[in-house]
Amino acid sequence: AAWLEHLFSDAEGTAWPALHDLMRSRGRNLLHNHLALTEDSPDSKQALRLEPDCADNPYFLRAYFSWKLGLPFGFFQCDRGRRNRDPACSGWTTQQQPSGSKRPGRAFHLFLRKLKSAVHSGSARTALDAEVSDLYPVPLTPEALRPGTVFADPYGHTLMLVRRLPQRDGSPGLLMAVDAQPDGTVTIKRFWRGNFLFASEEVIGGPGFKAFRPVVAKGGRYVPMSNAELSSSDEFPRLALDQQRMGPVDFYDAMARVVNPLPMRPEDAYRQLHDALYEQVLTRVKAIANGESWVARNPGKTIAMPKGIAIFQTSGPWEDFSTPARDLRLLIAIEAVVDFPNRVSRIPAAFQLPDGVTPVQMAEKLRNLREQWTGAMHFGYVRSDGSTTQLTLSDLFHRVSALETGYNPNDCPEVRWGAVHGSEEAATCRGRAPRSQQLEMEKYRSWFRDRRRPAWN
């Protein structure tokens, strides 16, 4: 926890092209070249290349730390489950098993290859009461949600907590996490509904906050601790099944009390949501720009689009440069911002209202602030001709319908940002997705319109 917190200190809104770029920072990584193998020196032939996706990222971080300090680490091989069955795991693998190389750096590299080929989003979404699993659910308390805790969302995204800033002197608290994208980018995200999706119905497996099972020595072997041991542990966060019975409202209310245990001024809480949404939009700017770079390097090529729910999870250029999962989270985030004034009206006790101001009056004030803030928050994207167009969050709020089909990297950036057909902004568009792909996206629009991703079959 201490290593992670230092690694990501003062890194809000920061992104790295790959995890190994972060590890090569002497100032951040307290374990930089700790084994004296020049393993974190970019100009060394022994330098590690760490390029996890979101599911791999927590495993890579924990494996790296364990390797540097000579601690045991292992993982199970799990399937993804099905609509009527949670992910199931078997095949325990540890770093202590022979790798095929006597060189420490090479041996660890081979272990990471095994890890990357075995781990996926289902690895973190095992049932909350599963005994054979890499992770186990923890209580939603500040003590349990320490750096290193993993969040598995119900639809396949995975994040790891790295830092908590407590609420003090009227300033809102923050819970920070790190995730990785298919293109290898590692980014810091704050906890809020737009980044951390939670649902417990019609999902496969058990989403929520989980900790890695400690690995202990038994009978000359390294094995993960059992549920019974974790349920009564005084050394590690205890296993708790509270999240199993939670709906989204209960989950987010419980997390609001963790992040901000004292009532907040509604204006401060609402401003924090706008800042989080703005960060989310800026990451989408980078994601679309990455897709445009691929298009520029591959003129005339069309990225194949998978069918059905596979648009959210596949491999190749579509996984690297399309944004359906990111856009679904963005649409949910916009909805959360729009709904917040209503939340103040529904549960005023969670907020610190000024004397004489009713919840209804405060809700109206917040709606006015939303118009003011979203109109002042600008961002730019590069159009097909190389020019830059400036938009505001307010513009984006009026384009949610276009965002429901804005995730295809074969479309020009103007279309992906919802430029109105026939407008000056759209005039520079130089490419559309094939008509067949456009028709497919219309078939899937309801998933985005309803803000609900379907479960895997």
Side-chain angles (χ1 to χ4, degrees):
W3 174 69
L4 280 174
E5 188 160 0
H6 189 271
L7 187 66
F8 293 100
S9 62
D10 303 320
E12 184 178 355
T14 306
W16 293 270
L19 183 59
H20 56 247
D21 291 303
L22 172 61
M23 298 306 189
R24 293 170 183 176
S25 170
R26 289 182 178 273
R28 291 189 177 278
N29 184 4
L30 295 175
L31 297 177
H32 184 274
N33 282 342
H34 180 70
L35 300 178
L37 302 172
T38 63
E39 67 272 18
D40 297 310
S41 298
D43 55 350
S44 169
K45 292 182 179 179
Q46 311 302 319
L48 293 172
R49 290 192 63 83
L50 306 174
E51 297 173 309
D53 62 16
C54 75
D56 304 327
N57 196 50
Y59 285 82
F60 268 49
L61 286 165
R62 194 168 179 87
Y64 178 95
F65 180 84
S66 301
W67 177 59
K68 290 291 184 116
L69 297 185
L71 299 172
F73 175 76
F75 62 91
F76 286 105
Q77 294 194 22
C78 309
D79 61 32
R80 297 183 184 274
R82 298 182 65 82
R83 189 181 295 272
N84 59 350
R85 183 179 64 76
D86 297 323
C89 306
S90 61
W92 176 245
T93 301
T94 72
Q95 288 176 316
Q96 280 67 38
Q97 294 168 354
S99 65
S101 176
K102 295 182 179 181
R103 291 184 295 159
R106 177 62 179 169
F108 183 61
H109 170 76
L110 293 173
F111 176 78
L112 290 182
R113 284 177 58 180
K114 291 181 184 177
L115 177 62
K116 190 175 180 65
S117 65
V119 168
H120 50 76
S121 62
S123 303
R125 281 187 294 104
T126 48
L128 298 188
D129 59 356
E131 186 76 55
V132 182
S133 62
D134 296 326
L135 301 112
Y136 69 97
V138 296
L140 299 185
T141 64
E143 297 76 22
L145 298 179
R146 62 181 67 171
T149 305
V150 173
F151 180 79
D153 91 5
Y155 307 119
H157 197 54
T158 311
L159 303 98
M160 176 180 257
L161 297 183
V162 295
R163 198 168 181 227
R164 179 172 177 262
L165 300 178
Q167 179 185 21
R168 59 162 59 100
D169 301 327
S171 298
L174 285 175
L175 194 60
M176 312 301 295
V178 63
D179 71 354
Q181 298 299 322
D183 62 4
T185 305
V186 173
T187 312
I188 298 296
K189 304 284 178 61
R190 68 175 74 188
F191 176 86
W192 79 298
R193 192 180 299 245
N195 287 329
F196 289 69
L197 303 187
F198 184 86
S200 54
E201 296 182 358
E202 298 183 20
V203 299
I204 297 174
F209 280 106
K210 303 180 180 184
F212 275 97
R213 290 179 184 270
V215 179
V216 296
K218 287 185 180 180
R221 296 176 60 242
Y222 286 117
V223 296
M225 287 179 67
S226 69
N227 286 357
E229 292 170 324
L230 290 166
S231 296
S232 58
S233 173
D234 292 326
E235 185 178 1
F236 304 104
R238 295 193 179 190
L239 184 148
L241 299 178
D242 303 353
Q243 296 170 87
Q244 198 171 45
R245 298 181 291 273
M246 284 185 175
V249 173
D250 294 333
F251 174 81
Y252 291 116
D253 284 349
M255 287 305 301
R257 292 190 292 271
V258 169
V259 180
N260 292 295
L262 301 175
M264 293 179 61
R265 293 178 66 245
E267 301 95 321
D268 294 338
Y270 204 28
R271 180 65 197 202
Q272 189 181 51
L273 290 190
H274 282 75
D275 291 341
L277 175 62
Y278 185 60
E279 289 176 6
Q280 209 163 332
V281 171
L282 294 183
T283 63
R284 187 176 191 263
V285 171
K286 294 178 182 177
I288 292 179
N290 288 341
E292 286 301 294
S293 296
W294 186 94
V295 171
R297 296 192 304 269
N298 298 273
K301 290 188 178 180
T302 298
I303 296 176
M305 177 180 173
K307 299 285 187 181
I309 195 173
I311 64 170
F312 293 103
Q313 191 169 334
T314 183
S315 60
W318 180 269
E319 182 182 26
D320 293 342
F321 304 118
S322 69
T323 55
R326 185 194 301 270
D327 289 0
L328 179 60
R329 291 194 294 271
L330 180 61
L331 289 166
I332 291 172
I334 291 173
E335 191 171 82
V337 169
V338 171
D339 183 63
F340 184 83
N342 300 328
R343 184 169 180 265
V344 173
S345 296
R346 290 194 304 269
I347 48 172
F351 302 96
Q352 186 180 28
L353 297 179
D355 293 339
V357 176
T358 69
V360 173
Q361 289 171 332
M362 177 54 70
E364 186 58 31
K365 177 183 179 181
L366 294 175
R367 293 186 187 98
N368 292 333
L369 285 173
R370 181 178 71 221
E371 293 299 317
Q372 174 186 330
W373 291 337
T374 58
M377 290 180 159
H378 292 79
F379 65 94
Y381 76 88
V382 178
R383 295 195 291 177
S384 300
D385 66 349
S387 63
T388 300
T389 285
Q390 293 292 322
L391 298 176
T392 65
L393 287 190
S394 181
D395 293 328
L396 211 58
F397 278 36
H398 290 95
R399 298 181 178 197
V400 291
S401 178
L403 292 179
E404 293 168 1
T405 56
Y407 52 83
N408 193 323
N410 295 306
D411 275 326
C412 64
E414 292 87 344
V415 167
R416 298 188 71 183
W417 285 107
V420 178
H421 180 71
S423 66
E424 180 182 351
E425 180 187 351
T428 52
C429 177
R430 292 180 181 171
R432 288 301 317 272
R435 180 61 179 166
S436 60
Q437 292 187 3
Q438 295 180 46
L439 293 174
E440 287 295 314
M441 288 193 291
E442 286 298 329
K443 286 168 55 177
Y444 310 145
R445 180 189 286 272
S446 62
W447 300 340
F448 298 86
R449 184 183 60 240
D450 298 339
R451 315 292 191 255
R452 191 178 184 88
R453 174 176 159 176
W456 287 94
N457 294 326

